[in-house]
Amino acid sequence: MNLAGNLTMMTLLVNGDSREVPAGITLSDLVALLGLENRRLAAEINENLVPRSGYTTCRLEPGDRIEIIHAVGGG
Amino acid sequence: MNLAGNLTMMTLLVNGDSREVPAGITLSDLVALLGLENRRLAAEINENLVPRSGYTTCRLEPGDRIEIIHAVGGG
Amino acid sequence: MNLAGNLTMMTLLVNGDSREVPAGITLSDLVALLGLENRRLAAEINENLVPRSGYTTCRLEPGDRIEIIHAVGGG
Amino acid sequence: MNLAGNLTMMTLLVNGDSREVPAGITLSDLVALLGLENRRLAAEINENLVPRSGYTTCRLEPGDRIEIIHAVGGG
Amino acid sequence: MNPSFPDPAGDTFTLAGRSFQSRLLVGTGKYQDLEQTRQAIEASGAEIVTIAVRRTNMGQTPGEPNILEVLPPDRYTILPNTAGCYDAKTAVRTCRLARELLDDHRLVKLEVLGDEKTLFPDVVATLEAAETLIAEGFQVMVYTNDDPILARRFEAMGCVAVMPLAAPIGSGLGIRNRLNIRTIVENAKVPILVDAGVGTASDAAIAMELGCDGVLMNTAIAAAQDPILMAHAMRLGIAAGRLAYRAGRMPAKRFASASSPLDGLFF
Amino acid sequence: MNPSFPDPAGDTFTLAGRSFQSRLLVGTGKYQDLEQTRQAIEASGAEIVTIAVRRTNMGQTPGEPNILEVLPPDRYTILPNTAGCYDAKTAVRTCRLARELLDDHRLVKLEVLGDEKTLFPDVVATLEAAETLIAEGFQVMVYTNDDPILARRFEAMGCVAVMPLAAPIGSGLGIRNRLNIRTIVENAKVPILVDAGVGTASDAAIAMELGCDGVLMNTAIAAAQDPILMAHAMRLGIAAGRLAYRAGRMPAKRFASASSPLDGLFF
Amino acid sequence: MNPSFPDPAGDTFTLAGRSFQSRLLVGTGKYQDLEQTRQAIEASGAEIVTIAVRRTNMGQTPGEPNILEVLPPDRYTILPNTAGCYDAKTAVRTCRLARELLDDHRLVKLEVLGDEKTLFPDVVATLEAAETLIAEGFQVMVYTNDDPILARRFEAMGCVAVMPLAAPIGSGLGIRNRLNIRTIVENAKVPILVDAGVGTASDAAIAMELGCDGVLMNTAIAAAQDPILMAHAMRLGIAAGRLAYRAGRMPAKRFASASSPLDGLFF
Amino acid sequence: MNPSFPDPAGDTFTLAGRSFQSRLLVGTGKYQDLEQTRQAIEASGAEIVTIAVRRTNMGQTPGEPNILEVLPPDRYTILPNTAGCYDAKTAVRTCRLARELLDDHRLVKLEVLGDEKTLFPDVVATLEAAETLIAEGFQVMVYTNDDPILARRFEAMGCVAVMPLAAPIGSGLGIRNRLNIRTIVENAKVPILVDAGVGTASDAAIAMELGCDGVLMNTAIAAAQDPILMAHAMRLGIAAGRLAYRAGRMPAKRFASASSPLDGLFF
């Protein structure tokens, strides 16, 4: 991901919030951008699960709805 | 009962309240004094029942504890 | 229905029992044969309801499964 | 207790049963006669408790009602 | 005539030598006014009605209506109670006053209470008071706990009815211990009347289904949102439970049993 | 006229567009004979009466009396049921037959059973059958378990009444889960009728006190020692519970509350 | 050490001046043999064990084992009872015999029964016997009904523990009237021990959750199919109920409350 | 060694091919903090522990402790649930996310809720979700109502455990319908785990005495005044109920049965 220069941005819906990110980034890039690299997470794009092995190759499109989840206490 | 002249008074406890009445009155007199003549009542003197037939002959003594009761709603 | 002469017979399953009846009779004929003309009934052929208006025109086929039912006490 | 010679006998009611024993024996003698010397027991004569210390001095009278009890399982 | 129609006249109960058709006994406390009291009692169909005796308020105006005025003696059997008494002596005094008040009326409901929180009976003091009252010729209907042994003792003393509580007075909790009430009923030769604790019509029906001869209640009617309607409900609940008891209910079974016949299923 | 007198005519319930005064619905199974059936139904005061449909016995003599003869259609609303059906298709066939039998009668009680031991409904098959029947123009009263979510679903589909079980059919165990029945009632806009499991009059009263619009029963009456008397008891139990519901019961309290006044105690 | 580990040593109860860790008291009747008795008591963890006194069988062989032999006095506090006594005098005689038998043992469980069918206490005779025994220096643990007023009276007389029944002795019906037991507990300063009527481990837990100091039982263990296993179950049930009482249970609510958070739902 | 000592190792239950000693399953919601969660779970002795999955809060600091950190996978079997899902699709998505999150973890607790007030399951949507999940290789433990027919259907579909509710989630009302739970247990070949509604230790014991294989709870522990103590109580309550079930309780009888012998009474 080239962060230098004039970036073209795109809008994603991440966990329900609109977020501007550089166009063409991967899911792996997004997780890094969000500072969640070392967290135990799972993710969906447009309601479809993305296996962790696919984060680096999964390129995001404008308007994608991303869900990033983790475990919490619950009963 | 002679209400004229200088009455000697005595103190009774009537239904828990101290009450000055002319000395030597009967239970019948007391009921009249209290304005209860035509009421359906029963009475005790010092925790002993007084039949209604005995009201006119029952002379009260200073310090007597009189209870005059009637029927009320109850369950 | 011609009951005289050499009748060709066919087998029906009426209320679960095999029954030989003249070939080609109608549902109305069957009800009469069973002595149920004046009973309040409803009937199915092969699990399909037959309206009462159709009894006289409904011709039975060999092997037809006929159910004839009436009301009984139940809760 | 002299068991030799012609004993005069007396009747006791021991635990509900009539029992002939030599006249004049003590409660201690009775316990021995019954073969209960080493048992953990308590006893009554005529509904009165007899402390164990009194067994040897407690002389029985004809007609005495003796109860000898012990512990059993119960809840 | 339909011979199986349940004839209420044929199902009376006898208390102190008198025969009653209604098995619902009601109190007269806690109502809004005497007119509501009157209407509720009428709706309940009760024939036996409890009252209390209290000190006459000296300041009371003479014309003030009195509870007895809405309870014509030719229509209702008045049942004075000893509510509020916490010892035998006071309960006995109360009964004597009530007897005098009501012209040698001998039928009383004896209750000697143990504490204000539970209004449970003090059964020891109740036994003592009952003994005195019976000796003085009273016909004692006795409020007690639901102990079958005590119930039998009150009967043996000569009480004309035994009145075990269903639950604390005024609690509306219904019958807390059906087994005890049932055992009391089975042992008894005098009427057993559940007294206190009923909250709604089904509670009254349950008491009757256990075989009780009747139920006495007050708060369940008076504290309903619509007391007159609840009085009707209670009258019907008592009748329903009594009829069910007489009819002999089906045995309860753990598992199902079809109501429609299994024969003739066409599938 | 006493304005608070409970006017039964003013407390009807509406089912499939028709208005009914009696909130007791009865079955016609398990009676000794048709005469007992007739008397019990009459004593119950029921206006809606269930029947089953079964294969006509070929050997039956033509003169044999028929259940419909003791149920004059001007007096009773006949409610054919699908008792004995263990799948959706059979239940639908049964309803079609009943509709034809009763001259385009569309009101049916749908039950699709899950097993013979419990006679619990198979709710999945019931949903399927209900959908077909409603599409064919039937007015479906549906027997279901006491799950509030399912009850709402049946209502949303267009069932004209939802009939949760109190306990297994024919068990007489009474309402096993009052909380669920209460929740179903609170959620509902169509009539909620407790169906199955009632054992005695107080059970019926409890169902009504929970706010149900009515109760359907059969075994509790037919298997009582005296069915006619029990039919009366049930009629009264339903009325008692309904009135108590309308009257608004007192709140239950853990502790006691005196019925007689505390003022004026003289000791 | 985990500071929140529930330390049983820190949760003793005090009875007649002695401190006990186990809140399960057991009887020794109805077992197959003394070895089973011994094992069951050991498994129960009980420290207080009841026995009865009975006439010595004259024909008994001297070597026959005795109940006391399986109850070493350094390990168990023996609690002689008056089971089988139907009047005050006999109960007092029984206690005196037991005291002598056990070398001036003063702790007794007093029960004076009212009849054989219910084995309910005769509370009047029990009061009389308790008075005599207390005057003679006995430490009386008293079997009574579940009447809160009587419980308080026994405490006021000087009984060292009050033992209300849960249900009839040997019935296994569990606590019939939780409200009464709870009220007795709230009023009491001496230990309240539920005596009689417990049937299974949850019954014992419920008694403890109501705040009782302990439970005495016999039949529930001895008449289980596997008494030793049930003794273990009871030991745990008592401990579970006690801990739950100390922990303070959640309030019951009519409706639901999600255990998982509502925040962060992604749909 | 005492041969009758109940050996917990000998009384495991098998779920989805794995063997467990603890029959108490716990949730991890509603605790004060993770340390309290950790302590409560440890005190409970649970081996299977539920978690939820929720959106990651973007503002969250990376160092914030995570529920999984207090649940070492070598010690606990993690059971992700679908709490908060009101339709089949969302529940399926949640399970897929959880599976990925936990490295192809296939054991899930499926719940599809019907409404927020009761948190009752939507059994139709649950059936749909279960079908999809089982086809995708999940091991589905399914939260359902207490309908025995549905329970059997879930088992037949291939669910590895059926989890009927005792009462609404978080209500603490205990087992509302013991008969249904008992019937479900009798029919089942897979583990039956009561899920939701337990309020205190005796409730847990009752579930086990009915023959359930285990109990899952959360609020009853987390919302107790002292959650750690209550976790101990629940552990013991489960063990007590299980042992009582294995021991075979005495039959309940209406009337009394003396524990002490009748022979040898000396009066």
Side-chain angles (χ1 to χ4, degrees), chain E residues 82-88 90-91 110-127 143-145 165 168-169, chain F residues 255-256 258 267, chain G residues 147-154 156 183 187:
Chain E
T82 62
C85 295
Y86 286 85
D87 60 77
T90 311
L110 172 64
E111 51 184 278
V112 188
L113 303 175
D115 70 18
E116 291 177 26
K117 190 173 77 170
T118 62
L119 297 182
F120 251 72
D122 177 335
V123 291
V124 175
T126 305
L127 285 163
Y143 168 65
T144 179
N145 62 24
L165 51 70
I169 294 175
Chain F
F255 284 120
F267 29 80
Chain G
D147 179 331
I149 305 300
L150 276 167
R152 210 157 46 189
R153 190 177 184 110
F154 281 116
T183 303
N187 288 340

Side-chain angles (χ1 to χ4, degrees), chain G residues 4 8 12 16 30 49 51 61 64 73 90 119 121-122 130 135-136 140 160 165 167 188 204 214 221 229 253 259 263:
Chain G
S4 70
T12 58
K30 294 186 168 178
V49 179
I51 58 158
T61 54
E64 193 180 306
T90 312
L119 298 182
D122 177 336
E136 294 187 9
V140 177
V160 300
L165 50 70
I221 297 175
L229 214 52
K253 286 167 290 190
S259 310
D263 281 354

Side-chain angles (χ1 to χ4, degrees), chain A residues 14-17 19 34-36 39-44 47-53 55 67-75, chain H residues 27-29 50-58 60-62 66-68 81 83 89 93 96-97 100-103 109 111 218:
Chain A
V14 182
N15 282 3
D17 295 324
R19 198 173 274 262
L34 296 169
L36 299 171
R39 303 290 298 279
R40 193 158 188 174
L41 301 169
E44 275 183 344
E47 304 194 358
N48 292 308
L49 182 77
V50 184
R52 261 174 287 171
S53 58
Y55 284 16
E67 295 289 346
I68 300 175
I69 64 90
H70 67 296
V72 299
Chain H
T28 53
T50 63
I51 58 157
V53 298
R54 290 290 179 274
R55 279 171 170 169
T56 298
N57 184 345
M58 295 305 137
Q60 227 176 0
T61 55
N66 181 290
I67 182 68
L68 295 176
N81 69 24
K89 188 180 171 191
R93 284 169 55 201
R96 289 174 185 151
L97 283 163
E100 176 65 20
L101 182 72
L102 299 169
D103 305 318
K109 182 189 150 199
E111 53 184 276
N218 188 336

Side-chain angles (χ1 to χ4, degrees), chain A residues 11-13 15 28 38 43 47 59 62 75:
Chain A
T11 304
L12 303 176
L13 202 66
N15 282 3
S28 182
N38 300 313
E47 304 194 358
R59 200 157 297 276

Side-chain angles (χ1 to χ4, degrees), chain G residues 52 81 129 170 178 185 215 231 241:
Chain G
N81 69 24
R178 299 188 191 186
V185 166
V215 178

